[in-house]
Amino acid sequence: MPHTYSSLLTHIVFSTKERRHLLTNEINSELYAYLGGLVKELDGKPVRINGVSDHVHMLLTLPPTVNVSDAMRFVKTNSSKWVS
């Protein structure tokens, strides 16, 4: 009986608008937790989320049924609303 197993690690980097230094130490831990929750909503698993004042790095797994560009649209749209 054939089985298929997929393990896809994705490293994503995205920046703030115009690379503004908006990500402060005060909001980073809450923001990273929120981003992790968004990844989980897509049935993905956040492996590591971190960043600096003008960009975020995310290492995550997504199921093969989830398109990376659609996932990033979802994450960036919702996280932008959360930050503002």
Side-chain angles (χ1 to χ4, degrees), residues 14 22-38 41 56 74-84:
F14 61 97
L22 301 173
L23 306 177
T24 62
N25 290 333
E26 291 80 30
I27 68 164
N28 280 349
S29 61
E30 290 180 56
L31 173 63
Y32 300 154
Y34 184 73
L35 290 170
L38 292 173
E41 280 187 46
V56 173
F74 176 76
V75 168
K76 289 176 70 176
T77 298
N78 287 291
S79 62
S80 293
K81 290 176 187 176
W82 184 86
V83 170
S84 19

Side-chain angles (χ1 to χ4, degrees), residues 8-60:
L8 306 170
L9 274 174
T10 306
H11 178 215
I12 297 165
V13 181
F14 61 97
S15 68
T16 58
K17 186 175 183 177
E18 299 173 357
R19 300 216 34 127
R20 292 182 187 152
H21 297 271
L22 301 173
L23 306 177
T24 62
N25 290 333
E26 291 80 30
I27 68 164
N28 280 349
S29 61
E30 290 180 56
L31 173 63
Y32 300 154
Y34 184 73
L35 290 170
L38 292 173
V39 171
K40 289 177 184 176
E41 280 187 46
L42 297 169
D43 294 326
K45 294 180 184 151
V47 176
R48 177 81 58 159
I49 300 175
N50 211 328
V52 292
S53 64
D54 66 349
H55 69 275
V56 173
H57 289 260
M58 296 173 59
L59 182 63
L60 50 95

